[in-house]
Amino acid sequence: MKKNKKKKLAAATGLALVAFLAGTFAWINSQDQKINRVDAAAIKDDSVTVEENWKPKDIIPGTEATKEVAIKNTGNVPVFVRVSYEEVLKHLAEKGAVTNRDTGWKASATPKPLEDDIPVEYDGDKYVKQANDYTDVTSKVKDAGGAAIPEGVKVYAKGSVTTNPVTNADVTTFTYSAFYEYAPGKYQAMETNVSVAGGNTAGTSVENWDFALSKAKYSVYSGGYKYAVSNWAASTLDGASTEATAAKAALLGSAGKKYDVDYDYTVATLGLTAIPPVSVATAADQVPVADSEKKGVQTDKAALNVSGINIEYGTDMATIADLKNDKWAYNKEDGYFYFTSPVNSGATTPHLLKKLVFTNSIGKEFTNATYDLIIKMEAIQATKEALVDSTGWNLNGADGSETKKITTYLDGQAVS
């Protein structure tokens, strides 16, 4: 009789797969992920989904980006839901340190992002497009030997010559900007020394002066990029690839497109031999215990030794030690945020996340960085058996454990 009840319940929903084989039951499971990328997902079904308001911004110290996350049940039966994270941080191998080369940067015919130098970008457009009062004097600049400067190097200058009324001597004022155009409209920063070599007499214009270039170094970030990844919690359902499934991840170890965000988290792209094992966050500076707290993520601290990216949590938070209905509570034993009440058909949970906050601790280590926060959600029927069954969430914690406490609390609200 119990099996017939389960089978009928399964047929009334579209959450996932129900299987009856050799007398076993696979609980209705649903999962969804969204990738939130700041630069500077998505196994979507028709039932339980990640609802979010995401307004991405560049990673700038002291700023924040709206990142509101809730879970909506559009299925026909109540569900329990839990949420966790996967992270991918792409950062410079030398953490923002600049190296100077003797020649300008050129793209490799066989690019190796994890090895190749990366040009230090320069805003040459504000000079080339004449959005200021600097003048192109490139043709008037010679090297120390009197020869033309290297092709692609551009020099813009402004200056004037005035006469000192006391000494009657000419006084030259001069500033310049020099950079290298390594591709059409793409400019590399340089370390240079340009001086006035002649022609700077009273009444003359800077474009008629002569200049000497005595130093020309081309700035790069050596060694390319590195990736840091973190999986806060073991996924109970299959991931987006066999590699992801083996790592107990949702998206780490796979490549594809989720909610219009292209991603590639394969080990080859990440430069890893394997996706690291699950790393449950337990540090006090990463675990929220009160409403609206700002807490850190894992990858920036691990890779850059800086807690520069924080999550601002919502106003409906609880702790395992003080559970209340309709709240989010983090389990330090498995890395999941559990919603403490069943989510009924048509209902939406309160926000778990509110914002990503970029702290003032962010420095040059975050130069060219890209950070992906993957919100992964799992939902299951709001039944007692689904909580502890091996084909459900398998929450069989020891007496007194956080897992046991959250299981007991949810069990008391189960619909059957």
Side-chain angles (χ1 to χ4, degrees):
M1 183 175 179
K2 179 182 279 188
K3 289 183 180 178
N4 288 338
K5 180 180 179 182
K6 292 177 184 174
K7 189 172 182 180
K8 182 177 180 180
L9 185 60
T13 72
L15 297 186
L17 174 67
V18 173
F20 255 87
L21 291 174
T24 63
F25 180 77
W27 294 97
I28 299 175
N29 290 311
S30 178
Q31 63 174 333
D32 193 16
Q33 303 89 34
K34 286 198 175 181
I35 301 170
N36 301 274
R37 178 168 295 162
V38 283
D39 200 5
I43 302 174
K44 186 172 174 67
D45 58 34
D46 294 324
S47 50
V48 184
T49 58
V50 177
E51 297 286 312
E52 68 175 15
N53 176 18
W54 171 226
K55 298 177 181 178
K57 294 182 179 179
D58 290 342
I59 301 174
I60 300 173
T63 65
E64 57 190 32
T66 299
K67 197 317 174 241
E68 298 175 338
V69 172
I71 307 301
K72 184 175 184 178
N73 181 8
T74 60
N76 298 324
V77 297
V79 294
F80 290 130
V81 297
R82 62 183 185 179
V83 171
S84 193
Y85 310 137
E86 294 174 13
E87 302 177 50
V88 179
L89 175 66
K90 179 183 178 183
H91 65 90
L92 293 169
E94 295 299 318
K95 303 178 183 179
V98 174
T99 299
N100 289 312
R101 304 297 192 198
D102 292 329
T103 57
W105 185 85
K106 289 181 174 57
S108 172
T110 55
K112 297 178 180 178
L114 303 182
E115 299 177 17
D116 295 343
D117 283 350
I118 300 161
V120 176
E121 299 290 338
Y122 191 79
D123 185 10
D125 275 346
K126 68 180 181 181
Y127 301 98
V128 174
K129 295 182 178 180
Q130 297 182 341
N132 51 47
D133 54 354
Y134 281 75
T135 299
D136 186 355
V137 297
T138 304
S139 63
K140 301 290 288 182
V141 184
K142 306 297 181 184
D143 66 15
I149 60 176
E151 184 178 357
V153 174
K154 297 183 178 295
V155 182
Y156 284 73
K158 66 178 180 179
S160 63
V161 180
T162 59
T163 301
N164 187 310
V166 177
T167 64
N168 207 37
D170 287 345
V171 178
T172 299
T173 58
F174 160 67
T175 59
Y176 76 94
S177 181
F179 46 92
Y180 174 67
E181 187 173 22
Y182 65 85
K186 299 289 186 180
Y187 306 101
Q188 180 182 9
M190 297 180 66
E191 276 196 11
T192 60
N193 188 356
V194 175
S195 58
V196 179
N200 53 323
T201 58
T204 59
S205 299
V206 69
E207 61 264 29
N208 296 316
W209 301 355
D210 297 316
F211 302 91
L213 175 68
S214 59
K215 178 183 179 182
K217 296 290 184 180
Y218 303 81
S219 300
V220 299
Y221 302 115
S222 66
Y225 288 102
K226 285 187 176 180
Y227 286 88
V229 304
S230 178
N231 180 11
W232 286 45
S235 298
T236 58
L237 301 178
D238 287 347
S241 70
T242 55
E243 190 176 287
T245 300
K248 297 183 178 181
L251 297 186
L252 294 179
S254 70
K257 189 171 189 175
K258 298 298 179 184
Y259 291 111
D260 296 324
V261 178
D262 292 308
Y263 74 96
D264 186 348
Y265 304 144
T266 58
V267 292
T269 295
L270 298 175
L272 305 173
T273 56
I275 299 298
V278 170
S279 175
V280 176
T282 58
D285 61 354
Q286 296 173 338
V287 177
V289 294
D291 292 350
S292 304
E293 284 194 311
K294 299 179 179 70
K295 295 293 183 176
V297 297
Q298 293 195 43
T299 49
D300 59 351
K301 190 171 184 179
L304 305 177
N305 199 31
V306 177
S307 186
I309 301 173
N310 282 189
I311 295 170
E312 181 178 322
Y313 286 90
T315 57
D316 293 275
M317 307 301 294
T319 64
I320 300 296
D322 187 23
L323 293 169
K324 297 180 175 67
N325 288 0
D326 299 317
K327 302 288 186 181
W328 288 102
Y330 180 73
N331 183 353
K332 294 193 295 293
E333 294 171 357
D334 66 12
Y336 277 103
F337 292 87
Y338 288 83
F339 191 62
T340 59
S341 296
V343 183
N344 293 320
S345 175
T348 301
T349 69
H351 290 126
L352 170 61
L353 286 71
K354 294 292 286 184
K355 298 173 184 175
L356 285 183
V357 179
F358 309 128
T359 74
N360 288 321
S361 299
I362 286 177
K364 69 178 184 179
E365 303 92 342
F366 285 81
T367 301
N368 284 24
T370 300
Y371 177 72
D372 289 3
L373 179 64
I374 302 156
I375 309 297
K376 66 178 181 181
M377 178 276 297
E378 293 187 352
I380 200 163
Q381 289 168 272
T383 65
K384 297 178 180 180
E385 293 92 339
L387 292 169
V388 298
D389 194 88
S390 60
T391 57
W393 281 351
N394 199 26
L395 297 178
N396 291 291
D399 289 344
S401 67
E402 291 199 350
T403 300
K404 183 67 172 180
K405 291 175 182 177
I406 189 65
T407 305
T408 301
Y409 194 85
L410 295 175
D411 185 278
Q413 299 185 76
V415 296
S416 64

